[in-house]
C-alpha cells in the first residue's frame, strides 16, 4: 500500500506540474534588437503618480453641491490635460497592474508558480530604459522594478513594511510620507550639485506609489469617509508636487505628468476579480506633448484621438517603430522554435512569412518617407504588422502544447485504467479463473515498451527538449505497461461476475457518470451544488431506509437541505456580520460549561471588528486568544478519548473555534451545520449496513479509533461503496470566503503570505471534518481504507481530466484564471487527500497522555 501511494503521489505530482509547462510558460521574449524613434521626444522627464486602489468613479464623481473632492485634478481635466477611464486586466492586483503600467505587458501566467511580490521572469521596463528613475512608496512594489533594471540607475525609497497596517488609525500617512520625501528630495539638491546636474538631464522619471487609498479601502471600504478623505489628501499632494517640480525646473514646459491607478476596489473592500469597480481606473495626463482639454457643447461620437494629439510625424514614426519592435520579438521567437524542431516537422506561421514581413515593412517605410503621415494605408500596414506579429508570437508560444497535452492525457487514461484494474482485481471479491493465460507475454511486452521509450528519448534529444519533456513523454510508457500486462484481467473478471445483475451495474455506472458531470458543472455554477445536495437529501426515501430509520433519515434530510443553502450565499460582496456565529455558539454554550472557550472565540471577531471601527487597533488580548487557539487546535483533540463520538466532538469544537476567529459573516455557521450532517451520515450508514444484512455489524458508540483492526472482519467492495465514495467527494463543498477582514483577529499589518496561509487553513477546516467522518465510516462499515480511497481517486482523476481539457489561455483573464484554478483544485485534491488522510488518522487514533494515575498498593 505504501509503495502504491508513493507511486500515485509521484504520478499526480507530474500531472500537476505538467500544466505549468503546457499552459503557464512565460510569453516574454528576450534577445531582440532594440528599436528607437529617430526624433526628439516632446518631454524631457516624466512624473508618474499611481494611487493604488483608486476607483474611477471615486475620483471623477462630483459631490452633491457640485464641487469635487479632488479640485486640483479636476481643474487639470477641465483646463490643461487629457483624461479618460482606463481598463485594467484580471487579476486586478498591485503587481500585475504596475507591471502593465511600467513594463507594457499583461500578467505573466508563469507568475502563478512564483509568488505575489515578484515577476518570475526578468523584464524590460520604462524605468530600465530611462537615464535615471527615482521611486518612492511601498516596499512591496518598488524593489520589483529595481531588481530587474540593468545597471544602478533606479533608486528606491520605501517605508517599513510594518506601516502597511489595516488597523491603522490613519493609513493616509503612507501617502503623506511619500509627498514629504519627494519634497525633501528636491530641497536636498541645493546642497548636492551632482544630484542637481543629474536631474537636469533628459529621460528621467519620478515615480510615486501611493498606498494609503488602497489600505483605507480594505480597512474601511471605498464608501467610507477615510477613503474619500484620502483622495482629497492625494489631490492636494499632487498639487504641491507639481508646484515643486515646476519651480525646480524653472517652468520649462518639458515635464509630463501621468496620474492613474493600478486597479479599483469593490464596495466591500476587495480586488482581484473582474468587476467594473475593480477594472475601471482613472487616467489623467497633462504637460509636455499632451493635448489640452477641449470643451464641447453636445455629445460627441467616440473617436480615437491618438492621431490628433502630438505632431503627425512623431506619431507616425512612433507607430512604425512600435510595429518593428514587435516584429523583432516575432522573429526571435520563430528562430528559437526553429532551432529546437526537426526541419521536416517545423510548420511556420503562414500569415507572416519572411516575404510578407519584408513587403509590409517596406511599404510602411516608403509612405512615412513620403510624409503621408495620415494616409490610411500606412496606418493600416502598421496595424496589420502589429496584429500579425502578436498572433505569430502566440502561435509559437503554443507550438508544443498539443504534443505535450497528448502525452499527459495518455498518462491520465493509463493511470486511471490501472487503478480500476487494481480495484476489480484485489478489492471486488471477484476471483480470476486460474486457467486464464495473459494475452500478451510479459517478455514481448517489456521489449516493446523499452523500444518505445528509446524512440521517445532519441526524438527529444534531437529536438533539444527540456528535461521536463522527458518526464511527461516517458511516464505513459511504464503506466501502460502495467495496464497491458493485466490486459486479460478485466474480461476475465467480468466473466466471473455473472452473479451481479447487469441492470444494477448499469444503473450505478450511469448515476456515477452523471454525478461526476454534476460536480464538474458545479465548479462553474455554484447553485448546482444546491441541487445536488437537495437530491442527496432524498436518498433515504428512494432507498427504503426511511421506513426502517425515520428519525435518522429526517436528520439526514434536514442536514442536506441546510447545507444546500450555503452555495447560494455570495463568496464575496457582503458586509461583515460577525454576530451570527456568536449567537449560535452562545446558545450552545448554555448547554455545557466546557464549551465556554468556543463561545469566547465566537465573540472575539465581534470585539475586534468594533475596535477597528473605532480606530483603536487590534486588541492585544484578542490577538493572544486567536494565535493560542490556532496553535492548540491540533493538539487539544489528541488529549481526548479515542472513542468515536468523543474524539469527533473534540475535533469539531477545536476546529470550530479557529473557524469562528476566521469568519466575518454567516459562513461561521457552516462548520456546525456540516458537522450535524456528518453525524447524520455516520448513523444512517449503519442503517444501510443493517438493511444489506452485513454480518458482525458493530455499534458506532462502542468503536474505538485506537483499537487494533480485526483483519478477518474487513470485507470486500460492494456497489454501494461507490455511493459512499461519491458522497465523500460531494461533501467537499466549496464555501470559501477570501475577504481580507477574515484574518483581522490575528494580524492587521499587510503580509500576503501569512494572511494567505490563514485563509487557506480556513478552507482546510471543513475538509478535515469531512475526512474524519470518512475515516469513521471506513471503520464502522468494516471496509479497508484503501478500497474507498481508490474509488475516490478514480472519481477525482476523471474530474481532473475534464478540467485539463477546459484550461484556456484566451478570452477574459477572469475566465482564464477560473479555468486554471479548477484544474489545480481537482489535481490538488488527489495529492491533498493523500496528505490529509495521514493528518486525520493522527487526529482520530492518536492520543497524548499528560500524566498517568499512580497505582496504590495496600498491605
Amino acid at each position: 500500500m505504501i509503495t502504491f501511494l508513493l507511486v500515485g503521489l509521484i504520478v499526480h505530482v507530474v500531472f500537476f506540474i505538467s500544466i505549468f509547462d503546457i499552459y503557464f510558460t512565460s510569453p516574454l521574449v528576450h534577445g531582440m534588437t532594440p528599436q528607437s524613434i529617430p526624433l526628439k521626444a516632446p518631454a524631457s522627464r516624466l512624473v508618474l503618480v499611481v494611487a493604488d486602489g483608486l476607483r474611477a468613479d471615486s475620483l471623477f464623481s462630483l459631490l452633491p453641491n457640485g464641487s469635487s473632492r479632488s479640485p486640483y485634478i479636476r481643474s487639470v481635466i477641465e483646463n490643461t490635460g487629457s483624461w479618460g477611464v482606463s481598463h485594467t486586466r484580471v487579476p486586478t492586483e498591485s503587481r500585475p497592474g504596475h507591471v502593465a503600467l511600467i513594463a507594457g505587458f499583461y500578467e505573466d501566467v508563469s507568475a502563478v508558480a512564483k509568488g505575489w511580490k515578484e515577476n518570475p521572469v526578468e523584464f524590460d521596463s520604462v524605468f530600465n530604459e530611462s537615464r535615471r528613475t527615482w521611486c518612492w512608496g511601498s516596499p512591496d512594489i518598488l524593489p520589483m522594478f529595481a531588481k530587474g533594471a540593468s545597471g544602478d540607475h533606479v533608486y528606491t525609497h520605501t517605508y517599513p513594511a510594518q506601516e502597511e497596517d489595516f488597523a491603522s488609525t490613519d493609513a493616509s500617512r503612507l501617502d503623506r510620507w511619500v509627498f514629504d520625501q519627494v519634497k525633501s528630495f528636491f530641497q536636498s539638491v541645493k546642497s548636492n550639485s551632482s544630484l542637481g546636474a543629474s536631474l537636469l538631464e533628459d529621460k528621467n522619471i519620478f515615480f510615486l506609489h501611493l498606498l494609503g487609498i488602497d489600505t483605507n479601502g480594505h480597512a474601511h471600504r471605498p464608501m467610507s469617509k477615510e477613503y474619500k478623505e484620502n483622495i482629497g489628501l492625494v489631490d492636494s499632494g499632487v498639487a504641491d508636487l507639481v508646484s515643486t517640480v515646476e519651480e525646480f525646473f524653472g517652468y520649462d514646459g518639458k515635464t509630463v505628468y501621468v496620474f492613474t491607478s493600478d486597479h479599483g476596489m469593490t464596495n466591500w473592500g476587495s480586488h482581484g476579480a473582474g468587476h467594473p469597480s475593480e477594472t475601471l481606473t482613472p487616467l489623467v495626463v497633462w504637460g509636455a506633448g499632451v493635448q489640452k482639454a477641449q470643451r464641447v457643447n453636445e455629445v460627441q461620437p467616440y473617436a480615437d484621438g491618438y492621431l490628433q494629439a502630438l505632431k503627425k510625424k512623431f506619431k507616425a514614426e512612433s507607430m512604425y517603430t512600435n510595429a518593428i519592435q514587435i516584429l523583432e520579438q516575432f522573429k526571435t521567437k520563430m528562430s528559437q522554435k526553429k532551432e529546437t524542431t526537426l526541419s521536416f516537422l517545423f510548420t511556420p506561421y503562414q500569415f507572416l512569412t519572411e516575404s510578407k514581413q519584408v513587403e509590409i515593412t517596406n511599404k510602411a517605410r516608403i509612405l512615412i518617407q513620403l510624409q503621408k503621415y495620415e494616409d490610411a494605408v500606412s496606418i493600416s500596414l502598421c496595424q496589420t504588422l502589429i496584429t500579425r506579429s502578436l498572433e505569430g508570437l502566440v502561435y509559437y508560444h503554443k507550438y508544443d502544447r498539443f504534443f505535450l497535452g497528448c502525452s499527459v492525457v495518455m498518462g491520465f487514461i493509463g493511470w486511471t485504467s490501472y487503478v480500476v484494474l487494481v480495484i476489480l482485481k484485489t478489492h471486488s471479491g471477484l476471483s480470476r479463473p486460474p486457467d486464464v493465460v495473459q494475452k500478451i507475454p510479459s517478455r514481448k511486452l517489456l521489449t516493446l515498451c523499452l523500444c518505445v521509450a528509446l524512440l521517445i528519448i532519441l526524438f527529444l534529444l534531437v529536438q533539444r527538449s527540456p528535461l521536463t519533456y522527458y518526464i511527461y513523454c516517458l511516464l505513459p510508457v511504464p503506466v501502460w505497461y502495467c495496464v497491458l500486462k493485466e490486459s486479460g484481467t478485466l474480461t476475465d473478471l467480468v466473466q466471473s461476475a455473472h452473479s451481479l445483475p447487469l441492470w444494477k451495474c448499469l444503473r450505478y455506472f450511469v448515476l456515477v457518470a452523471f454525478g461526476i458531470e454534476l460536480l464538474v458543472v458545479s465548479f462553474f455554477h455554484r447553485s448546482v451544488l444546491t441541487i445536488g445536495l437537495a437530491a442527496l437529501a432524498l436518498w433515504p426515501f428512494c432507498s427504503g431506509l426511511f421506513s426502517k430509520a425515520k428519525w435518522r433519515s429526517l436528520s439526514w434530510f434536514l442536514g442536506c437541505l441546510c447545507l444546500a443553502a450555503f452555495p447560494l450565499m455570495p463568496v464575496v460582496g457582503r458586509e461583515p456580520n460577525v454576530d451570527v456565529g456568536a449567537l449560535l455558539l452562545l446558545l450552545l454554550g448554555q448547554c455545557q460549561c466546557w464549551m465556554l472557550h468556543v463561545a469566547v472565540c465566537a465573540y472575539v471577531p465581534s470585539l475586534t471588528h468594533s475596535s477597528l471601527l473605532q480606530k483603536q487597533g487590534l486588541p492585544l488580548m484578542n490577538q493572544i486568544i486567536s494565535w493560542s487557539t490556532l496553535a492548540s487546535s491540533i493538539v487539544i483533540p489528541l488529549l481526548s478519548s479515542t472513542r468515536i463520538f468523543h474524539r469527533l466532538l473534540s475535533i469539531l469544537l477545536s476546529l470550530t473555534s479557529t473557524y469562528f476567529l476566521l469568519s466575518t459573516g454567516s459562513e461561521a455557521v457552516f462548520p456546525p451545520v456540516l458537522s450535524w450532517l456528518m453525524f447524520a451520515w455516520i448513523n444512517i450508514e449503519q442503517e444501510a449496513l443493517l438493511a444489506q444484512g452485513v454480518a458482525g455489524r458493530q455499534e458506532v458508540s462502542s468503536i474505538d479509533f485506537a483499537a487494533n483492526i480485526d483483519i478477518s472482519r474487513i470485507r470486500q467492495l460492494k456497489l454501494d461503496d461507490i455511493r459512499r465514495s461519491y458522497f465523500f467527494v460531494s461533501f467537499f463543498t466549496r464555501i470559501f470566503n477570501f475577504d481580507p477582514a477574515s484574518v483581522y483577529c490575528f494580524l492587521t499589518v499587510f503580509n500576503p503570505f501569512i494572511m494567505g496561509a490563514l485563509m487557506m487553513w480556513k478552507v482546510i477546516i471543513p475538509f478535515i471534518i469531512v475526512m474524519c467522518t470518512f475515516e469513521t465510516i471506513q471503520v464502522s462499515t468494516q471496509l479497508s481504507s484503501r478500497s474507498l480511497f481508490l474509488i475516490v481517486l478514480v472519481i477525482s482523476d476523471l474530474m481532473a481530466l475534464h478540467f485539463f481539457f477546459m484550461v484556456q489561455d484566451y478570452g477574459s483573464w477572469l475566465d482564464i484564471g477560473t479555468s486554471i484554478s479548477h484544474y489545480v483544485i481537482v489535481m490538488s485534491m488527489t495529492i491533498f487527500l493523500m496528505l490529509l488522510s495521514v493528518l486525520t488518522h493522527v487526529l482520530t487514533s492518536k492520543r497524548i497522555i499528560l500524566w498517568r494515575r499512580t497505582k496504590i498498593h495496600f498491605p
Side-chain angles (χ1 to χ4, degrees):
M1 180 61 179
I2 296 178
T3 304
F4 180 84
L5 287 177
L6 289 176
V7 172
L9 183 61
I10 293 173
V11 169
H12 284 86
V13 167
V14 172
F15 289 158
F16 179 78
I17 296 176
S18 69
I19 195 174
F20 296 100
D21 276 326
I22 298 175
Y23 295 101
F24 298 156
T25 53
S26 176
L28 301 186
V29 183
H30 300 277
M32 295 80 63
T33 302
Q35 304 291 321
S36 59
I37 302 173
L39 303 175
K40 185 178 180 180
S44 298
R45 67 198 68 91
L46 164 68
V47 178
L48 173 62
V49 182
V50 177
D52 202 307
L54 176 60
R55 292 165 44 149
D57 59 340
S58 298
L59 179 70
F60 293 141
S61 60
L62 299 176
L63 299 175
N65 59 5
S67 63
S68 173
R69 63 174 57 92
S70 52
Y72 176 76
I73 294 179
R74 186 75 184 184
S75 67
V76 170
I77 291 173
E78 294 179 348
N79 303 305
T80 61
S82 295
W83 67 281
V85 176
S86 52
H87 297 254
T88 64
R89 294 278 290 268
V90 175
T92 48
E93 299 288 352
S94 294
R95 177 183 57 77
H98 281 86
V99 169
L101 286 170
I102 300 168
F105 65 91
Y106 293 117
E107 171 71 324
D108 186 346
V109 291
S110 64
V112 298
K114 178 69 176 179
W116 184 86
K117 293 185 179 181
E118 295 184 8
N119 201 72
V121 179
E122 290 189 1
F123 56 91
D124 197 11
S125 69
V126 67
F127 291 175
N128 189 42
E129 296 298 325
S130 68
R131 189 180 304 275
R132 291 179 185 84
T133 296
W134 289 270
C135 310
W136 297 267
S138 168
D140 295 327
I141 298 298
L142 304 190
M144 173 173 53
F145 296 98
K147 179 181 178 182
S150 59
D152 187 20
H153 64 280
V154 178
Y155 310 99
T156 60
H157 307 272
T158 64
Y159 40 76
Q162 292 76 14
E163 294 295 322
E164 301 176 10
D165 189 350
F166 294 134
S168 171
T169 56
D170 183 18
S172 62
R173 74 182 189 281
L174 301 176
D175 299 341
R176 195 178 296 111
W177 182 93
V178 172
F179 289 122
D180 291 343
Q181 290 292 315
V182 175
K183 195 170 186 178
S184 300
F185 171 78
F186 280 100
Q187 292 175 350
S188 67
V189 177
K190 299 177 181 179
S191 59
N192 191 333
S193 57
S194 62
L195 177 60
S198 300
L199 291 176
L200 294 176
E201 295 179 314
D202 61 351
K203 296 184 179 180
N204 286 336
I205 297 177
F206 305 93
F207 172 48
L208 285 71
H209 175 244
L210 308 176
L211 190 62
I213 293 176
D214 183 77
T215 306
N216 271 320
H218 286 308
H220 305 290
R221 309 296 185 261
M223 300 304 166
S224 64
K225 180 184 69 173
E226 291 81 3
Y227 185 89
K228 296 176 180 178
E229 289 180 349
N230 204 150
I231 296 176
L233 183 146
V234 168
D235 180 76
S236 60
V238 171
D240 294 339
L241 170 69
V242 173
S243 176
T244 301
V245 171
E246 292 297 328
E247 182 179 352
F248 178 84
F249 292 104
Y251 299 92
D252 61 354
K254 292 295 184 179
T255 306
V256 61
Y257 300 88
V258 177
F259 180 85
T260 186
S261 175
D262 56 344
H263 57 75
M265 186 171 290
T266 61
N267 291 339
W268 48 93
S270 67
H271 55 80
H275 191 273
S277 61
E278 301 168 89
T279 60
L280 301 183
T281 53
L283 177 62
V284 184
V285 187
W286 69 99
V290 180
Q291 180 184 8
K292 295 184 179 180
Q294 298 179 0
R295 294 183 179 274
V296 294
N297 298 322
E298 58 185 16
V299 178
Q300 301 292 311
Y302 172 78
D304 188 357
Y306 175 71
L307 297 177
Q308 301 172 359
L310 299 170
K311 293 182 179 179
K312 299 173 183 178
K313 184 177 181 180
F314 184 83
K315 287 184 296 187
E317 290 285 356
S318 298
M319 190 169 188
Y320 177 78
T321 303
N322 190 27
I324 297 300
Q325 184 67 75
I326 297 176
L327 179 62
E328 285 294 325
Q329 295 186 45
F330 169 79
K331 290 179 178 179
T332 304
K333 190 72 172 179
M334 181 179 66
S335 62
Q336 291 174 353
K337 186 55 59 181
K338 196 172 184 178
E339 290 175 359
T340 58
T341 306
L342 295 174
S343 58
F344 65 91
L345 293 178
F346 180 75
T347 305
Y349 181 60
Q350 59 179 345
F351 296 107
L352 195 59
T353 59
E354 293 184 5
S355 59
K356 289 184 179 179
Q357 296 174 28
V358 174
E359 178 185 354
I360 295 175
T361 53
N362 287 342
K363 285 183 178 179
R365 184 74 265 176
I366 291 172
L367 289 172
I368 292 176
Q369 290 175 349
L370 294 175
Q371 298 185 358
K372 294 185 178 181
Y373 305 126
E374 293 184 345
D375 193 300
V377 177
S378 70
I379 297 173
S380 176
L381 287 172
C382 290
Q383 290 177 340
T384 300
L385 188 59
I386 291 174
T387 302
R388 295 302 187 192
S389 298
L390 292 175
E391 291 174 351
L393 281 170
V394 174
Y395 171 80
Y396 288 117
H397 181 63
K398 298 179 178 179
Y399 197 83
D400 294 333
R401 183 168 296 181
F402 178 77
F403 168 67
L404 293 177
C406 290
S407 300
V408 173
V409 169
M410 287 293 293
F412 252 121
I413 298 174
W415 168 257
T416 307
S417 302
Y418 177 69
V419 175
V420 171
L421 286 174
V422 170
I423 294 174
L424 293 175
K425 185 177 179 180
T426 62
H427 297 277
S428 63
L430 301 176
S431 59
R432 184 180 180 185
D435 56 340
V436 175
V437 180
Q438 291 182 352
K439 297 181 179 180
I440 302 179
S442 298
R443 188 179 298 274
K444 291 184 178 180
L445 180 61
L446 180 60
T447 303
L448 175 63
C449 290
L450 289 176
C451 291
V452 172
L454 182 61
L455 289 174
I456 292 174
I457 292 173
L458 291 175
F459 176 76
L460 296 176
L461 280 174
V462 172
Q463 297 212 135
R464 290 180 288 175
S465 300
L467 178 61
T468 52
Y469 282 34
Y470 290 84
I471 300 175
Y472 307 141
C473 296
L474 291 175
L475 179 62
V477 177
V479 172
W480 277 102
Y481 169 77
C482 296
V483 174
L484 295 176
K485 189 177 178 181
E486 301 291 341
S487 60
T489 300
L490 182 60
T491 303
D492 301 332
L493 290 178
V494 169
Q495 291 175 357
S496 63
H498 54 83
S499 59
L500 293 176
L502 180 61
W503 68 270
K504 189 174 183 180
C505 296
L506 290 176
R507 184 187 66 180
Y508 264 86
F509 175 78
V510 172
L511 289 176
V512 170
F514 176 76
I516 292 175
E517 294 299 324
L518 198 67
L519 289 176
V520 171
V521 174
S522 70
F523 277 79
F524 301 94
H525 306 283
R526 287 171 54 84
S527 57
V528 174
L529 284 172
T530 300
I531 299 174
L533 287 169
L536 292 184
L538 302 176
W539 166 59
F541 303 94
C542 299
S543 62
L545 289 176
F546 178 73
S547 60
K548 301 175 182 178
K550 290 185 173 57
W551 289 110
R552 291 183 176 182
S553 298
L554 287 175
S555 178
W556 166 270
F557 177 78
L558 294 176
C560 286
L561 292 184
C562 290
L563 194 68
F566 286 93
L568 300 178
M569 297 179 181
V571 179
V572 294
R574 78 283 186 279
E575 293 297 323
N577 182 11
V578 295
D579 295 327
V580 176
L583 177 61
L584 175 65
L585 266 296
L586 178 63
L587 296 174
L588 294 175
Q590 302 298 323
C591 303
Q592 297 288 344
C593 61
W594 48 269
M595 295 179 69
L596 178 62
H597 177 68
V598 183
V600 169
C601 291
Y603 274 109
V604 167
S606 179
L607 297 176
T608 301
H609 184 65
S610 176
S611 177
L612 295 180
L613 286 179
Q614 298 174 16
K615 298 185 178 181
Q616 297 176 355
L618 173 60
L620 178 60
M621 181 56 66
N622 292 11
Q623 197 171 17
I624 293 174
I625 293 174
S626 300
W627 283 109
S628 60
T629 300
L630 175 65
S632 62
S633 60
I634 297 296
V635 179
I636 288 180
L638 302 179
L639 301 176
S640 64
S641 169
T642 53
R643 293 277 181 169
I644 277 188
F645 286 120
H646 288 83
R647 179 55 64 92
L648 289 179
L649 186 60
S650 178
I651 293 172
L652 164 64
L653 295 177
S654 178
L655 296 179
T656 299
S657 300
T658 305
Y659 199 91
F660 266 104
L661 295 171
L662 292 168
S663 299
T664 60
S666 56
E667 83 273 8
V669 191
F670 179 66
V673 173
L674 178 63
S675 302
W676 167 24
L677 181 58
M678 293 299 99
F679 278 107
W681 186 22
I682 294 171
N683 286 304
I684 203 167
E685 286 292 355
Q686 288 292 297
E687 298 298 332
L689 283 178
L690 185 63
Q692 295 171 5
V694 176
R697 186 178 66 91
Q698 188 178 1
E699 288 295 331
V700 178
S701 58
S702 63
I703 298 177
D704 193 324
F705 279 121
N708 293 327
I709 300 175
D710 186 357
I711 300 179
S712 62
R713 302 180 64 180
I714 298 297
R715 62 179 179 84
Q716 295 290 341
L717 278 173
K718 298 180 179 296
L719 286 176
D720 208 39
D721 294 319
I722 300 177
R723 173 194 54 77
R724 294 186 176 94
S725 301
Y726 181 77
F727 280 8
F728 169 69
V729 177
S730 301
F731 287 139
F732 271 62
T733 311
R734 297 170 296 283
I735 310 297
F736 305 156
N737 173 23
F738 296 101
D739 189 348
S742 300
V743 302
Y744 285 174
C745 291
F746 295 85
L747 78 165
T748 54
V749 176
F750 181 67
N751 189 318
F753 299 104
I754 296 179
M755 290 179 169
L758 289 171
M759 287 189 282
M760 184 56 64
W761 180 244
K762 177 183 178 181
V763 171
I764 291 175
I765 285 176
F767 290 171
I768 296 178
I769 295 175
V770 175
M771 196 70 185
C772 290
T773 305
F774 197 54
E775 180 87 5
T776 304
I777 290 176
Q778 290 175 5
V779 174
S780 62
T781 58
Q782 305 167 8
L783 187 63
S784 169
S785 59
R786 182 183 179 186
S787 303
L788 288 179
F789 178 78
L790 290 177
I791 298 177
V792 172
L793 189 62
V794 171
I795 294 175
S796 59
D797 281 347
L798 291 175
M799 293 175 61
L801 189 58
H802 276 73
F803 290 123
F804 182 82
F805 289 109
M806 293 180 179
V807 173
Q808 61 184 51
D809 62 349
Y810 57 88
S812 72
W813 274 80
L814 179 61
D815 296 335
I816 296 171
T818 301
S819 67
I820 291 171
S821 64
H822 290 166
Y823 178 78
V824 173
I825 288 172
V826 177
M827 280 304 300
S828 301
M829 182 187 298
T830 304
I831 303 172
F832 175 66
L833 285 177
M834 296 179 183
L835 302 177
L836 193 61
S837 61
V838 177
L839 175 60
T840 54
H841 179 71
V842 172
L843 276 177
T844 54
S845 61
K846 303 301 179 182
R847 186 178 184 184
I848 298 176
I849 301 177
L850 298 178
W851 60 83
R852 297 180 182 275
R853 294 182 179 178
T854 304
K855 294 183 178 180
I856 301 177
H857 300 275
F858 293 97

